[in-house]
Amino acid sequence: MKNFYYTVLLLILFSCGSYQPVLVSKEYLFAGHSAGFRQCHASTLTETRDGRLLCAWFGGDHEGDASVKIWMSELDRKTWSLPKAVADGRLPDGTVLPAWNPVLYTIPESDSVFLFYKAGANPRTWEGWYKTSADQGKHWSEAGRIGKGLIGPVKNRPLLLADGNLISPSSREFTEKDWKVHLERSKDHGKSWEIIPINHEQKEVQVIQPSIIEHRNGMLQLLARSRQNRVLTAFSHNGGNAWTPWEETNLANPNSGTDAIRLKNNLLLIVYNPETSGQNWWEGRTKLHVALSGDGKTWKDVLVLENGQKGDEYSYPTVLQASDGKIHISYTWNRSRIVHAVLK
């Protein structure tokens, strides 16, 4: 009997270790002439309980302009709906600010969906806002501020822990050269939040826009965009209360957003730009790769999504594994479109 279980374990490990994602499809969510905006960026994906995909992003004349709103499309069967504006940066006093970085999140096994986003003149001054849907994204509530000083999930989706705590991976750009990651944790399903700073004493480390993963042993991991030309990581063994110091992975990072998840086979998957920074902040985003890892520290490239030329930008990916096992990725395509790719 021991030999049987040992053989099964080896088969599982071999299967996971030899997994190779395959690109099934890649498409634009919308044709350029059908959009109600000139530029778009920072997409987010979620799956509703009935199996539909929702995708949101910000779009307007250009990033940081007051015309920028949050737009959304849904995939029902094989067709993406025409984009429609679902939120903007209008404040109660009538002031209109740019909207930024939406994050969609479906509460597990429910019809409830959160749409988090930011409003502000720039990332140094923005605040977190949200809308909720009680019918799987068909209708949305009025906008509400998350709370004074709160940002919400800054780019990548929250994580619901086994103890019921909801953790948003977040960060703050205090100045253009002072970036720090924190968590925003809710113990009452998003009604109130507390802030947990992550390694702010590491003054030399500049990190933002983390994704958060729960390993199968309960350990939590953050993977963050940095100014150090590497994706940086930190780990928690007590539910996010304390974290190991930031350390480098073997993944390059040109100061650009990434996203990472744990797959159903327990391997970790990340989508990232495998380059280093240039003179300008947008350089280094011409390639977009998919990598896998067993431990979250050492990663291996397994798929190329984009292999562009100087001046191209393929960036800010988001990734999820749907209930049918397929892996969905969306990302910015040259600031003019959003791409949806499917892997299996």
Side-chain angles (χ1 to χ4, degrees), residues 41 63 179 208-209 225 253-257 272-278 280-288 306-316 331-332 334-335:
H41 191 42
E63 179 177 325
W179 295 356
I208 54 172
Q209 299 175 352
R225 166 183 174 176
N253 182 250
N255 186 16
S256 184
Y272 77 110
N273 298 111
E275 301 176 86
T276 54
S277 300
N280 300 300
W281 64 264
W282 61 83
E283 293 181 308
R285 301 180 178 188
T286 61
K287 297 175 173 56
L288 195 63
E306 298 286 354
N307 186 24
Q309 301 176 351
K310 184 177 181 180
D312 289 337
E313 182 185 348
Y314 309 112
S315 63
Y316 268 54
Y331 57 90
T332 298
N334 283 326
R335 297 278 171 149

Side-chain angles (χ1 to χ4, degrees), residues 107-256:
I107 297 177
E109 300 179 359
S110 80
D111 293 338
S112 298
V113 183
F114 275 96
L115 169 63
F116 298 97
Y117 61 101
K118 296 89 198 148
N122 56 63
R124 272 79 62 197
T125 62
W126 64 18
E127 289 187 314
W129 290 74
Y130 73 99
K131 289 189 172 187
T132 58
S133 172
D135 57 7
Q136 304 181 71
K138 296 181 177 67
H139 302 89
W140 293 92
S141 69
E142 294 296 319
R145 188 181 268 112
I146 297 175
K148 186 175 178 58
L150 296 171
I151 295 174
V154 73
K155 177 191 174 294
N156 299 316
R157 71 182 58 81
L159 177 67
L160 183 65
L161 302 182
D163 60 10
N165 287 340
L166 184 63
I167 295 183
S168 289
S170 195
S171 59
R172 183 172 291 280
E173 300 178 34
F174 295 100
T175 69
E176 291 187 1
K177 296 183 178 180
D178 185 12
W179 295 356
K180 292 293 182 286
V181 163
H182 68 271
L183 300 181
E184 295 178 9
R185 180 171 60 188
S186 177
K187 299 180 179 180
D188 53 14
H189 308 289
K191 295 178 182 177
S192 63
W193 299 85
E194 62 177 328
I195 294 177
I196 303 174
I198 308 296
N199 297 327
H200 286 200
E201 68 279 2
Q202 286 186 266
K203 302 297 184 182
E204 75 284 2
V205 175
Q206 305 299 320
V207 282
I208 54 172
Q209 299 175 352
S211 52
I212 186 167
I213 296 172
E214 185 174 22
H215 289 242
R216 58 180 172 178
N217 63 1
M219 178 177 66
L220 300 180
Q221 179 178 6
L222 292 169
L223 290 149
R225 166 183 174 176
S226 84
R227 290 181 177 273
Q228 279 69 46
N229 280 318
R230 282 285 185 271
V231 174
L232 297 192
T233 190
F235 297 87
S236 174
H237 300 276
N238 61 359
N241 291 297
W243 291 82
T244 62
W246 291 108
E247 59 182 297
E248 292 185 354
T249 67
N250 66 316
L251 296 169
N253 182 250
N255 186 16
S256 184

Side-chain angles (χ1 to χ4, degrees), residues 64-70 87-100 117-122 125-127 129 145:
D65 188 73
S67 65
V68 174
K69 302 177 181 179
I70 305 301
D88 59 30
R90 184 176 297 275
L91 303 183
D93 65 3
T95 303
V96 179
L97 298 172
W100 306 76
Y117 61 101
K118 296 89 198 148
N122 56 63
T125 62
W126 64 18
E127 289 187 314
W129 290 74
R145 188 181 268 112

Side-chain angles (χ1 to χ4, degrees), residues 21-97:
V22 175
L23 180 63
V24 176
S25 63
K26 190 166 70 170
E27 62 180 337
Y28 300 123
L29 264 70
F30 49 85
H33 65 272
S34 70
F37 43 82
R38 293 176 57 194
Q39 291 190 0
C40 56
H41 191 42
S43 62
T44 176
L45 289 168
T46 196
E47 182 183 24
T48 60
R49 191 167 67 157
D50 61 8
R52 290 176 298 116
L53 285 185
L54 303 179
C55 184
W57 58 91
F58 72 72
D61 287 347
H62 57 82
E63 179 177 325
D65 188 73
S67 65
V68 174
K69 302 177 181 179
I70 305 301
W71 297 77
M72 188 175 295
S73 182
E74 71 171 64
L75 179 64
D76 192 356
R77 297 182 181 178
K78 294 184 179 180
T79 304
W80 285 98
S81 64
L82 290 176
K84 62 179 181 180
V86 294
D88 59 30
R90 184 176 297 275
L91 303 183
D93 65 3
T95 303
V96 179
L97 298 172

